[in-house]
Amino acid sequence: FTEAVRCRLRSEFAIGAFLSGGLDSSAIVCTAERLAAEPDGTSPALQAFTVFSDHPDSDERPYVRQVVRTTGTKTHEVYGSDPDPLHRIDDLLWQVESPIVAPNRQSSLALTEAIQAWGCRVLLSGDGGDQLLDEIGYLADLLRTLRPLRFIRESRAFAEWYAGGTAEFAGMALAMLLPAGLKYWGK
């Protein structure tokens, strides 16, 4: 993990980081700041960016501020709410690779524009970090290590927890074990 962050700190331009205050982005920012403080640390200054909205349940700024106090990282708080879901729809559609536009896409667009305005050309993000330790991957690992009884028991538990079907969870785990060529052919 540290080496992966170190490799992404090589830049002649300012480095930006999405910072939500969650584990993934906080670990990246803390590691980047620790690496920059090393005697041979030659990376440019890190700029952290967080998006917030009017809804108090989605305001993660207290967590972000704790990371910033701990690391001393310069942070920028970007207001990302837009009451009109179709505002800038042309910009949004131009940027996506599929016809699906996530509900938080406009706040991501505002955040990206702020990052560009600060001259950052490298962007660190914790996106996808949850998939490293997700339930489906865990279930696939149970199959990979030949523990079928535990696989069945855990599939049932996850299905009950998420109010889904056992076959659905088991099927997704099985699909993870298929070779890439077979998955491609299946599409």
Side-chain angles (χ1 to χ4, degrees), residues 2-18:
T2 300
E3 189 57 29
V5 173
R6 183 188 321 273
C7 290
R8 284 148 184 88
L9 293 178
R10 293 182 288 212
S11 175
E12 295 179 15
F13 302 95
I15 296 174
F18 285 146

Side-chain angles (χ1 to χ4, degrees), residues 18 51 53 78-82 84-116 123 125 127:
F18 285 146
V51 67
S53 70
V78 178
Y79 182 72
S81 287
D82 192 335
D84 179 5
L86 297 179
H87 179 242
R88 298 184 64 188
I89 192 70
D90 292 337
D91 293 338
L92 297 173
L93 290 174
W94 179 256
Q95 292 183 4
V96 296
E97 295 176 2
S98 67
I100 299 170
V101 177
N104 67 341
R105 186 69 186 145
Q106 288 182 328
S107 59
S108 296
L109 186 60
L111 196 57
T112 304
E113 288 173 346
I115 292 166
Q116 288 174 333
L123 178 61
S125 166
D127 285 350

Side-chain angles (χ1 to χ4, degrees), residues 146-163:
L146 303 176
R147 295 188 282 177
L149 295 177
R150 184 147 186 193
F151 168 76
I152 292 168
R153 188 171 53 246
E154 296 287 347
S155 294
R156 287 181 183 153
F158 282 128
E160 184 178 319
W161 176 263
Y162 289 107

Side-chain angles (χ1 to χ4, degrees), residues 117-179:
W118 278 93
C120 298
R121 298 228 186 137
V122 175
L123 178 61
L124 305 177
S125 166
D127 285 350
D130 296 337
Q131 285 74 20
L132 179 62
L133 301 172
D134 72 343
E135 297 86 359
I136 305 304
Y138 168 70
L139 293 175
D141 286 342
L142 290 176
L143 284 175
R144 190 178 294 114
T145 56
L146 303 176
R147 295 188 282 177
L149 295 177
R150 184 147 186 193
F151 168 76
I152 292 168
R153 188 171 53 246
E154 296 287 347
S155 294
R156 287 181 183 153
F158 282 128
E160 184 178 319
W161 176 263
Y162 289 107
T166 303
E168 178 185 8
F169 278 88
M172 287 188 288
L174 284 167
M176 284 186 82
L177 298 176
L178 294 174

